[in-house]
Amino acid sequence: MQVNISGHHIDVTEAIDGYVKSKFEKLTHHNDLITSINVFLTVEKLVQKAEASIHVSGKDIFADAQSEDLYTAIDALTDKLDRQLIKHKEKLKSHR
C-alpha cells in the first residue's frame, strides 16, 4: 500500500505524516486490496480540510472532511472512508 501525502498552504511535518499513516493503516483491516492512497491537506483561514482518494480493486473511492482542527478532519476522513470500504466490500460479496 502506497500512501502519498501532500499539502496546500501547510507543511506536512513528520508528526502529521505519522498520524495520517497510522490512521490509514487501520483501513487495511477491512480491505487488503488497497493499492494506493492519495491524501491532500489544505488550510483556508479557519477551516482545515482533508481529502483522500483510495484505489481499491479497480475502483476509486473519494472522501473529504473539514474541521477547525486538522487532526479532527483527518479522523472524520478516515471514518468516512472506513464506511465506504465496508460498503464496497459488501457489494463485492453480494454480487458473486
Side-chain angles (χ1 to χ4, degrees), residues 44-93:
E44 295 178 2
K45 294 188 180 182
L46 299 176
V47 178
Q48 313 283 330
K49 293 183 182 179
E51 300 175 348
S53 63
I54 297 178
H55 187 74
V56 180
S57 62
K59 184 178 179 180
D60 288 327
I61 297 175
F62 177 80
D64 63 341
Q66 61 184 9
S67 178
E68 293 179 1
D69 181 33
L70 183 62
Y71 292 102
T72 307
I74 293 169
D75 289 341
L77 175 69
T78 54
D79 290 342
K80 288 180 181 181
L81 287 170
D82 192 33
R83 286 191 302 260
Q84 288 184 13
L85 282 172
I86 291 170
K87 188 173 183 180
H88 176 68
K89 190 173 182 179
E90 289 175 357
K91 281 184 180 179
L92 288 177
K93 284 185 178 180

Side-chain angles (χ1 to χ4, degrees), residues 29-40:
H29 296 295
H30 295 293
N31 199 334
D32 56 347
L33 299 175
I34 297 173
T35 55
S36 66
I37 299 173
N38 295 320
V39 181
F40 191 65

Side-chain angles (χ1 to χ4, degrees), residues 2 4 6 10 14 27-28 41 62-63 72 85 87 91-93:
Q2 180 182 3
N4 297 325
S6 59
I10 187 172
E14 289 185 26
L27 295 178
T28 59
L41 307 172
F62 177 80
T72 307
L85 282 172
K87 188 173 183 180
K91 281 184 180 179
L92 288 177
K93 284 185 178 180

